[in-house]
Amino acid sequence: MRYIEEGRLRLLVDPNEKTLFLTAYGEPFNPDFLSHHVRKIVKKSDTGRGRSCHLFRHSCATHMLENGADIRVIQQLLGHSKLESTQIYTEVSIRHLQEVHART
């Protein structure tokens, strides 16, 4: 919220710009730049997982589902027309499955 109210406003050059995250020049980030930057950071973290921005999209959807978000809401946020597409992103962790099993 602070970024939107303060940081983004300082970067904003074109008041019609709809992109959320802007460069220091007030322009949208180039997707290739972000992918390259994220790939380097994830590689350094040595998680053994994929090395792209897509990893964060997948993780976000999974965490939302595990914390009670409705899968239809996640489907809308991800912009999927079919629920089957959303289910691919929302792997349910073993820990979460064990918790649900224990409760029921």
Side-chain angles (χ1 to χ4, degrees):
M1 202 63 173
R2 184 173 175 193
Y3 167 76
I4 293 170
E5 293 172 353
E6 297 175 23
R8 187 176 184 282
L9 289 177
R10 280 189 239 146
L11 297 171
L12 195 61
V13 174
D14 177 5
N16 296 317
E17 180 59 61
K18 302 290 184 214
T19 304
L20 178 60
F21 295 107
L22 304 171
T23 67
Y25 299 105
E27 300 170 346
F29 277 96
N30 178 314
D32 292 334
F33 169 80
L34 285 177
S35 292
H36 176 72
H37 191 65
V38 167
R39 202 173 299 118
K40 280 183 7 185
I41 292 169
V42 173
K43 187 176 182 177
K44 283 183 183 178
S45 72
D46 198 27
T47 62
R49 301 285 313 258
R51 294 186 173 112
S52 70
C53 292
H54 197 76
L55 173 67
F56 294 104
R57 178 180 169 94
H58 178 91
S59 298
C60 180
T62 301
H63 289 301
M64 288 178 68
L65 182 67
E66 288 181 352
N67 286 286
D70 185 273
I71 193 146
R72 296 287 183 182
V73 171
I74 298 170
Q75 177 186 4
Q76 287 281 320
L77 289 171
L78 295 177
H80 293 158
S81 56
K82 295 183 178 181
L83 187 59
E84 291 82 17
S85 300
T86 308
Q87 290 171 326
I88 293 168
Y89 287 85
T90 54
E91 292 177 357
V92 180
S93 72
I94 296 298
R95 179 188 51 79
H96 185 67
L97 288 172
Q98 289 170 336
E99 289 172 6
V100 170
H101 182 262
R103 282 196 314 262
T104 58

